[in-house]
Amino acid sequence: MPHDHTRPIPRIALTPGEPAGIGPDLAVRLLGGVTAAELVLIADRELLIERARGQGITLTPEPYSTNAPRAGRVRVLHIPLNAPVRAGRLDATNASYVLRTLEAGCDGCLGGAFDALVTGPVHKGVINQAGHPFTGHTELLAERCAADPVMMLATPGLRVALVTTHLPLAQVSAAITPQRLERVVRILHRELVQRFGLAGPRILVCGLNPHAGEGGYLGQEEQEVIGPVLERLRAEGLDLVGPLPADTLFTPQQLRRADAVLAMYHDQGLPVLKHMGFGRAVNITLGLPIIRTSVDHGTALDLAGTGRADGGSLQYALETALHLCRNRSHRPTVEPSLVR
């Protein structure tokens, strides 16, 4: 079970993700930049030293210890690679290594060793190629935590949560059931209040079809599922607007009056958010018993080992994790950079 989070200095775990990608490069660049928490890198120690050396950084990591955390300190929880790594070259042999780092980070949070988990980019294809069924971090953490989470991405000025995540488009409509939609809305509302300190958050809800179904002429989901669920929850006092046409929802005028947007599927809301804040966006998993944030980008194999990858998203994911750790104790009324 998670602990009571009364530790004055948070200890945040970071998994760099795919070892051939940019995750290890970005992780070692955080050295010296973490001042308010202790950071534990869960990775192969020699991999981190090698990637640091390639960027002109001298890394002599302290091994992970359960001693009281110290602000600004970086430790390494060593998880050995299965095979040597060449930057930019995927190797399915190391797929289980990636999963072991994630499991160690998640279990450490569940057991109270870590206060939050920040995850770097993984390569879903190579993990599946190695014979490990894997659709994403969110799904793996859901199973490990025995939870039913909600994916939300955020950048300054916009938060977008998803009703469905990594599904083929042909399966989306059937997956948007009244039960699922109600569960997602309730989790989103609750977490905006509890984790982000927003009183009475306003949520804009997308329709599924063009023009939100055009009164049923372009689809029935808005009339049969989305509208009735929202109406029932509004009667309970939730501030829900919609279902709205997605093509006009993401306008400055609409977003100024919103604390979050709920999109029906992955590519309905995330292209807008990534256009608005790519490199300065974070993936936040709601509905888990742990705090988990992640980068908004992939492994960028062509940039691995070059020192040219942009670390803005990882830095923002770390800052957001730290903010959420503080919220657990202090419950601030506003959230820096993300207030409407």
Side-chain angles (χ1 to χ4, degrees), residues 98 152 184:
V98 174
M152 183 176 81
V184 170

Side-chain angles (χ1 to χ4, degrees), residues 196-198 323 327 331-336 339:
F196 293 88
L198 297 169
H323 175 79
N327 267 14
R331 291 284 189 270
T333 56
V334 296
E335 177 191 2
V339 294

Side-chain angles (χ1 to χ4, degrees), residues 9-10 30-39 69-75:
I9 297 171
L30 293 173
L31 301 177
V34 183
T35 58
E38 179 173 288
L39 185 62
R70 189 179 73 210
R73 181 165 56 191
V74 178
R75 293 185 179 273

